[in-house]
Amino acid sequence: MRNLTIIFYLSILSFDIYSQSTDTLKVVTQNSADKLLTSDGKLLLGGYGEVHYNQPLNAGIKNNGTLDVHRMVLLLGYNFSQNTQFISEIEFEHVSEVYVEQAFLQYRFKPFLNLRAGLMLIPMGIINEYHEPVTFNGVERPESDTRIVPTTWREIGVGITGILVPVSLKYQFYVVTGFNGYDGEARLNGRNGFRGARQRGAESYVITPNITGKIEYYGLKGLNIGLSGYFGKSQSTLYEGIDKDNRTAILKADSSVTGIAMAGLDARYSSTGLQLRGQIYYTAISNTDQYNKFTGKEGLSNDLGSAMLGYYLEAGYDILRFIPDSDKELILFGRYEKSNTHFSTIDSEINGSYNNDIITCGLTLKLAKGAVVKGDMQFIKSPDSPELNKVFNAGFGIMF
């Protein structure tokens, strides 16, 4: 028993020593909040933003293009002490909408163990955590990252996070509030998936806490592999104030919630100008037959699917790397994506318009660290449409 105790304490000590000696090397991919958490000083400042131009190019139809200050984001943090930190992220969308995207307090027990509580990003996939415009190719975020993992997806919760340097792992585990599935009307459906059900930390309510987590491996140079999950139930206001012995009321409330089990696998690799990335999400949704019947309108059932599937593969290459002393990057990239919020259904026909194949090809010009100009063409096809929809996108993004 004494030997086991000694081994345990030696293991903790080795994690501590390795973590402290490499903590400042920033060997793990960082988003804006991560950069502030590893910054010195008391008051911390960061930000990012992007401006977009989108022009549909459908044959035989004229369409207006749209120009949009899509988002401008300010990050403010404060180091109360070496171990106690606060991070906030305030977002202005489309000039007129204001959201709090993150607001959490973190206490650092050890470099490999941090307690975090507040409004936090759900650690699913790549884009939901790393959504700053300089971190991905393409003007718009992938469609599966807007409907299946509804970026930017954040919830109020509590959990632990840390980096285990000796085994090259970063981990996150949280208990969080869930989607607003029903508050007098359905917030989940086939067309928009989970997007309309984000509570965003705005007077969030909870009847059943959910759990989420992610483990990332970064032990090979240039490679990052992530495995993520989210499990629980959607929330419903119908549980408010009902008698626990009122079986009828409980059954009615139960019909307004769904079970959600989401799993994701993602990978990123970069080396000498080459960039590769890909991810896949699969989501199983239970009780959709009851949910669709209960939340239907005018005699018609809702159309939430019982499973969703999204994935993409992307390759890019810096074509300026052969120019001597170039301080810029020009990345030529292509991405194939599948986004299907009706991968399977129980009580309704599969709607082919919810199943999109998207090819995106374009250029990303990195003018300097933290400043990019982008342009791309998107080709979108669904089984229910004979037409190939085309969209030209352009814009710029910054991060500091």
Side-chain angles (χ1 to χ4, degrees):
M1 182 66 182
R2 181 182 177 185
N3 290 337
L4 289 176
T5 302
I6 293 173
I7 292 172
F8 172 76
Y9 281 111
L10 286 175
S11 299
I12 293 296
L13 180 61
S14 70
F15 272 121
D16 196 11
I17 292 173
Y18 276 105
S19 296
Q20 290 186 40
S21 63
T22 58
D23 186 41
T24 58
L25 296 180
K26 299 179 176 65
V27 292
V28 184
T29 304
Q30 293 183 313
N31 58 23
S32 297
D34 294 328
K35 290 181 181 295
L36 293 190
L37 287 169
T38 56
S39 298
D40 297 324
K42 282 290 186 179
L43 184 63
L44 310 172
L45 178 66
Y48 62 91
E50 53 192 326
V51 177
H52 294 175
Y53 168 59
N54 309 106
Q55 178 62 66
L57 298 172
N58 298 325
I61 301 175
K62 288 187 68 65
N63 294 104
N64 289 325
T66 58
L67 294 126
D68 184 28
V69 181
H70 202 128
R71 54 180 57 87
M72 288 292 154
V73 182
L74 179 65
L75 287 97
L76 290 171
Y78 193 80
N79 286 331
F80 293 97
S81 69
Q82 183 179 2
N83 296 327
T84 305
Q85 301 169 286
F86 174 75
I87 299 294
S88 67
E89 184 173 343
I90 303 169
E91 179 170 357
F92 298 85
E93 286 194 3
H94 315 297
V95 178
S96 60
E97 302 172 15
V98 182
Y99 299 101
V100 177
E101 197 156 286
Q102 296 189 79
F104 63 84
L105 186 67
Q106 176 170 292
Y107 184 79
R108 183 179 189 175
F109 291 100
K110 294 290 183 181
F112 58 86
L113 179 60
N114 304 279
L115 178 65
R116 187 176 291 184
L119 182 63
M120 302 172 293
L121 298 177
I122 300 298
M124 286 296 305
I126 301 173
I127 295 292
N128 200 55
E129 288 193 277
Y130 307 102
H131 50 262
E132 296 86 351
V134 302
T135 64
F136 63 92
N137 293 314
V139 175
E140 300 294 339
R141 298 167 180 175
E143 183 172 314
S144 56
D145 284 308
T146 62
R147 302 181 190 278
I148 300 175
V149 174
T151 303
T152 303
W153 179 15
R154 65 272 193 193
E155 298 288 355
I156 295 175
V158 62
I160 57 174
T161 180
I163 298 175
L164 307 178
V165 175
V167 290
S168 303
L169 290 177
K170 175 183 177 181
Y171 71 89
Q172 301 177 74
F173 295 104
Y174 305 117
V175 178
V176 296
T177 56
F179 287 118
N180 172 20
Y182 185 82
D183 60 359
E185 61 179 297
R187 297 296 177 181
L188 305 172
N189 57 56
R191 177 174 297 279
N192 296 312
F194 297 120
R195 188 158 191 80
R198 296 171 297 168
Q199 296 208 61
R200 298 191 178 101
E203 298 184 328
S204 299
Y205 68 98
V206 60
I207 187 67
T208 305
N210 293 353
I211 59 173
T212 184
K214 185 174 185 179
I215 298 175
E216 296 178 71
Y217 175 74
Y218 61 91
L220 299 176
K221 184 179 179 181
L223 178 66
N224 186 291
I225 301 174
L227 178 64
S228 51
Y230 176 90
F231 306 95
K233 293 183 177 181
S234 63
Q235 312 299 303
S236 172
T237 56
L238 289 181
Y239 289 103
E240 176 66 22
I242 63 175
D243 191 326
K244 293 181 179 180
D245 295 325
N246 188 336
R247 185 63 178 167
T248 301
I250 290 177
L251 288 174
K252 180 180 178 181
D254 288 345
S255 296
S256 65
V257 303
T258 65
I260 300 169
M262 182 185 299
L265 178 66
D266 61 79
R268 288 163 285 170
Y269 178 75
S270 61
S271 177
T272 59
L274 177 65
Q275 298 180 1
L276 302 173
R277 65 166 53 190
Q279 69 180 21
I280 182 169
Y281 305 125
Y282 177 80
T283 305
I285 310 170
S286 61
N287 201 44
T288 55
D289 52 345
Q290 294 296 317
Y291 181 83
N292 285 337
K293 290 177 183 177
F294 180 78
T295 59
K297 291 182 178 180
E298 300 177 356
L300 298 175
S301 292
N302 193 2
D303 64 350
L304 178 65
S306 58
M308 301 181 186
L309 176 69
Y311 60 85
Y312 70 77
L313 296 171
E314 178 183 303
Y317 193 81
D318 175 19
I319 58 180
L320 294 184
R321 69 175 301 268
F322 297 109
I323 299 178
D325 303 321
S326 175
D327 61 349
K328 298 177 176 59
E329 294 181 48
L330 182 60
I331 301 167
L332 175 66
F333 77 94
R335 179 173 66 232
Y336 170 73
E337 178 185 5
K338 165 75 77 173
S339 177
N340 189 355
T341 57
H342 258 193
F343 186 67
S344 69
T345 63
I346 292 179
D347 61 336
S348 60
E349 291 186 9
I350 290 178
N351 190 327
S353 66
Y354 302 162
N355 177 14
N356 290 320
D357 294 278
I358 305 167
I359 294 176
T360 306
C361 302
L363 292 166
T364 300
L365 174 61
K366 295 189 176 183
L367 299 171
K369 185 178 181 180
V372 298
V373 177
K374 303 179 180 182
D376 65 65
M377 280 289 299
Q378 288 189 305
F379 304 89
I380 306 168
K381 187 71 173 65
S382 65
D384 280 4
S385 173
E387 298 294 331
L388 181 67
N389 294 319
K390 292 171 285 188
V391 181
F392 171 73
N393 305 298
F396 71 85
I398 55 94
M399 174 183 175
F400 58 88

